[in-house]
Amino acid sequence: MATGREGLARRRAAMGFTQESLAEHLGIDRSTVGRWERGTLTPQPWNQPDLARALKVSLDTLDALLAPGAHVAPPGPDRISHALVAPQRLDLITVGHLRERVQRLDERYDRVPSTSLLADAGLALGQISFFGQHAPNGRTRLELRQVEAEAATLMGQLVWDASQRRDHDNARAHFENAIAAAREIGNTAAEGHALLRKSYISLYGERDPRAGLTLTEQTAHTTSNTSNVITGLALLHTAEAHAMLGDQRACEKALAEAETRFGKTNADDVAGFLFSPSQFDRMAGSCYLFLGDHRRAQKALEKTARGIRRQNKSRAIVLGNLSLAHLRQGELDAATAALHEAIDVVEETRGGGGLNIVFDAGKELRRWRTEHLVSEVYDRLLSLMTAA
C-alpha cells in the first residue's frame, strides 16, 4: 500500500501553493501533484529540481519529504524541540525547518529594526551550533553546515546593524564563522556572501577602502563560477572602493563588469534572492558621490529612489545619499526634502547605514544652520540621536 506524504503536502501549503497552483507553476497536471502527495507516484528526476525550487528546499530535503514515513514529522517547532533532546537523531526535515526559520528572519532584515530580530536569530544559531556538535556525518551534517553559514551571516549583519555599524569585532567573527562553515562543504556562494558582508565592515565601518577592496575582489574571484549575482554585487562594491580612493577609471571599469554579470543572471542563480534591479544605480550613485560628480550621482540616486517604494533600510541609504548630492550642489530645499524622507525610513527601520548617512548630512547642513528648514531637520536628528 502506498504511504501518504503529509510532509510534502504540508510544505506545499506552507509555501502558499494549492495543488492546482503548484501544478500550474511546474507546468504539470494537478492530478500529478495529488499522486505525489498520496505516495502513488514519485516525481521524475527532471521534475525534482523545479519542485525543490518551488518549495524552497534543497534536493536532499526534498528526498526526505518524498521518503516513506515522511508524513509522521511533527510541526517545525515541535520537531526541533524533539531533536534538541535527542540530537543524534537530527534528520534532514528538521534541518529544513531550521533553514526556514533563518530564511524568515532574513526576509525581515531590511524592513524592521535589527534589535527586534537579534534574540530569535541568536537562538536559531545557538541551536544549529548545538546540533553541529552531535550531528552524524553525511548529508544531514552537510545540510546543517549550510544552514549554519546562512545563520552566521545573518547574525553578523544583525549585530553590526544593531550597533549602528560600530561593533566590528563581533560582526566580523560571525562572518568568519560563516566563511569557515561554507568552505568546509565547498559552498562558494555562501562563502562569497559572507565575504561580501565582511567587506562592508572595512568599507563603511572602518572607512578603509583598501582593505575593503581586497575583500570585494576576493569575493568576486570566489563566486565567479558560481553566482553572477554575488559576483556582480562584489564588483559594485569594488567600484565603490575605487571611488573612495579617487580612481574613476577603475571604478567605472568595475561598474561595467558588474552590469555585464547582472545581464547574465538567470532564475537558476543560487543567490538570486539577493538581486534587486535598483542595486546598480544605487551603487553607481554612491560611487559618483565619492568621486565628486554630484549631478551624475543625483540622477542615479533619484532613479533608484523612484524604484524603491517600500520603507526599508536600503531606501534610507539612497535618500540620505541623495540629500548629500543636493547639498553639495547648494540645493537646500531638495536636500532637506530628501533628508526628511530618509529620516522617516530610519525612524521605522533603525538601519545603521541610514542612521550614519543622515547624521553625515546633518553635519554638512551646518553652513545653513540659521535657515528654518535646517532647524526642522535638526530637531528630528536630535530625536533620532536621543532614541539611539
Side-chain angles (χ1 to χ4, degrees):
M1 179 181 294
T3 302
R5 297 179 176 126
E6 293 180 12
L8 180 64
R10 188 182 300 117
R11 181 64 186 177
R12 183 257 304 155
M15 298 311 299
F17 287 111
T18 62
Q19 288 186 348
E20 291 82 357
S21 63
L22 179 59
E24 183 179 356
H25 179 81
L26 297 174
I28 59 176
D29 290 336
R30 177 255 179 216
S31 61
T32 301
V33 175
R35 293 167 67 194
W36 289 347
E37 294 181 358
R38 290 193 300 274
T40 59
L41 181 70
T42 294
Q44 295 292 341
W46 53 85
N47 291 133
Q48 293 187 21
D50 290 339
L51 177 59
R53 278 193 292 272
L55 300 181
K56 294 187 178 179
V57 297
S58 68
L59 286 171
D60 285 339
T61 301
L62 180 62
D63 281 346
L65 291 172
L66 296 173
H71 66 290
V72 300
D78 292 342
R79 192 174 184 88
I80 292 169
S81 297
H82 177 74
L84 287 168
V85 176
Q88 69 280 3
R89 297 180 183 175
L90 181 74
D91 59 18
L92 287 167
I93 297 176
T94 308
V95 175
H97 287 311
L98 286 166
R99 171 179 279 118
E100 188 174 349
R101 281 177 57 192
V102 172
Q103 289 174 342
R104 284 200 303 267
L105 291 167
D106 194 31
E107 288 168 359
R108 298 173 60 199
Y109 165 75
D110 201 35
R111 304 192 305 273
V112 302
S114 292
T115 51
S116 69
L117 304 177
L118 270 172
D120 287 342
L123 176 61
L125 182 58
Q127 290 175 343
I128 291 164
S129 298
F130 171 75
F131 286 130
Q133 299 171 20
H134 303 279
N137 291 326
R139 292 191 305 176
T140 301
R141 187 173 189 83
L142 289 175
E143 288 290 311
L144 186 66
R145 289 296 270 170
Q146 167 64 27
V147 180
E148 183 175 3
E150 295 172 10
T153 299
L154 174 61
M155 195 64 184
Q157 294 172 222
L158 293 171
V159 166
W160 197 48
D161 191 55
S163 70
Q164 296 173 38
R165 298 189 169 187
R166 294 173 184 166
D167 189 352
H168 307 327
D169 292 341
N170 283 316
R172 185 178 279 118
H174 284 299
F175 293 138
E176 288 173 352
N177 287 342
I179 291 166
R183 284 177 178 168
E184 181 181 319
I185 60 175
N187 188 324
T188 54
E191 179 186 352
H193 188 199
L195 276 169
L196 185 60
R197 288 289 179 177
K198 184 179 173 182
S199 76
Y200 297 174
I201 297 175
S202 297
L203 290 171
Y204 314 120
E206 297 167 337
R207 307 293 177 100
D208 184 348
R210 294 193 184 280
L213 179 61
T214 297
L215 286 167
T216 58
E217 290 178 335
Q218 182 182 353
T219 302
H221 176 74
T222 298
T223 61
S224 61
N225 296 319
T226 306
S227 169
N228 284 312
V229 169
I230 297 179
T231 303
L233 291 173
L235 288 165
L236 286 181
H237 290 281
T238 294
E240 191 169 34
H242 285 304
M244 291 176 177
L245 294 167
D247 190 339
Q248 182 166 346
R249 176 179 291 184
C251 169
E252 292 181 334
K253 180 175 183 292
L255 286 174
E257 291 174 354
E259 192 168 29
T260 298
R261 281 287 184 165
F262 289 143
K264 295 178 180 178
T265 299
N266 57 45
D268 294 328
D269 195 299
V270 294
F273 63 96
L274 294 174
F275 177 72
S276 166
S278 66
Q279 284 162 329
F280 182 86
D281 285 313
R282 170 191 163 190
M283 295 299 298
S286 181
C287 286
Y288 288 115
L289 199 59
F290 279 115
L291 291 168
D293 191 341
H294 303 130
R295 181 61 62 186
R296 197 167 180 181
Q298 174 197 328
K299 290 179 179 178
L301 293 166
E302 285 176 339
K303 180 180 178 182
T304 307
R306 288 193 297 270
I308 305 177
R309 290 302 178 188
R310 290 195 307 172
Q311 297 291 78
N312 59 28
K313 294 169 185 175
S314 299
R315 179 171 170 78
I317 292 171
V318 170
L319 291 168
N321 277 333
L322 179 57
S323 177
L324 288 170
H326 283 302
L327 279 176
R328 292 169 187 176
Q329 297 173 84
E331 299 167 352
L332 183 60
D333 287 356
T336 54
L339 193 51
H340 275 298
E341 286 191 68
I343 294 171
D344 288 342
V345 183
V346 171
E347 286 175 341
E348 183 175 332
T349 65
R350 312 302 301 182
L355 275 169
N356 290 344
I357 290 175
V358 299
F359 286 139
D360 286 344
K363 293 175 185 176
E364 295 198 20
L365 278 170
R366 286 174 182 165
R367 57 188 284 202
W368 292 285
R369 59 184 175 273
T370 59
E371 298 283 344
H372 178 66
L373 287 173
V374 177
S375 297
E376 291 179 343
V377 170
Y378 276 179
D379 286 343
R380 297 191 70 188
L381 290 176
L382 181 60
S383 295
L384 271 182
M385 192 177 301
T386 302

